[in-house]
Amino acid sequence: MYRLLKSAPQVFMEYVKDFSRYLKYSGTLDGTPAQNLLARITATYHNIEKGLSLPQPRLGFGKENLSNLIEAIHKYQRLYGPSHPVLSSAIEVLATYASYHETHNYPDYPCKREILKMLAARPQHPAQMGGTRLVTRERIMQAVSPVSEQFFLQRHSIRAFSNREVDLADIEAAIRVAQKSPVVCNRQSGAVHVIADPELIKAALDLQMGARGFSHAVNKLLVVTVDLRNFWQAGERNQGWMDGGMFAMSLIYGLHLRGLGSCCLNWSKTNRQTQQMRELLGLQQWESIIMLIAVGHIPEQVVVPFSSRKDPLLVTRVITKWQK
């Protein structure tokens, strides 16, 4: 009972601080700040992209999304300037939407006049920025055929590294892999802070307190964060942790693909400790820390925990009939 009375107020206060921070930096109260607005533009244009990628898109679909997107683009241009990569992607989605309807002899699609006016004023880009693209099953299978389940089963948490220097190019390649991670409405909130300075690595790991016994061997330390400004409303209050977790997992497999060893170091900390890490690394207040990842080259032989996994049948439930 004593433990409950002691810990409950602490947990409550941490939730209050989380609530206040989410309300302050997310787009829940005001979508005008630049990043809040860009996140809404991205989410809205991606809704149109998803509609265009359906097997048989309904002609004239998306009137509300189109209107909201055009309004948001104009607002951003008015407040922050005429160009941004997100705007280029959004306008190319509008171009794909217009082209789809014209190809299908449906000239009276929603917001036609506003779309054509926006397309006439857009700058040209040599590479595709948005819309849809056609992929084949053959190409996908060619990409996955060299990969077996051993790629996943031979990934281990490594806590002993060689003295070999980790090339930043390998980390950048792993980040490119992570950027393909599934993410809500293509908002891409994940970021990676790469610490290369040994003294700063030590200071960060001292704060994390989970790398005792091998912190001295860590060659690079990655701090994965997500941007709270990309979310809004009550339903997305935890979305950053989901997106950030998937981003981090993809990053780890990207490191594995480059032959690098890694060890996830959780960030289950209080707001006070998180603020200490922000100040140490120069992170922004709207950045939520998902985890730290220790990185190094794998030695010729290394001891790893057995880490027994549950039988898949114990964690699988197949629903064959709706129980009304």
Side-chain angles (χ1 to χ4, degrees), residues 93-94 232:
V93 170
L94 293 175
W232 55 83

Side-chain angles (χ1 to χ4, degrees), residues 91-108:
I91 293 171
E92 189 150 351
V93 170
L94 293 175
T96 306
Y97 182 91
S99 176
Y100 172 78
H101 285 81
E102 290 165 3
T103 300
H104 287 78
N105 298 315
Y106 193 91
D108 296 325

Side-chain angles (χ1 to χ4, degrees), residues 289-300:
I289 301 173
I290 301 299
M291 66 169 65
L292 280 61
I293 304 173
V295 181
H297 280 283
I298 305 170
E300 291 302 317

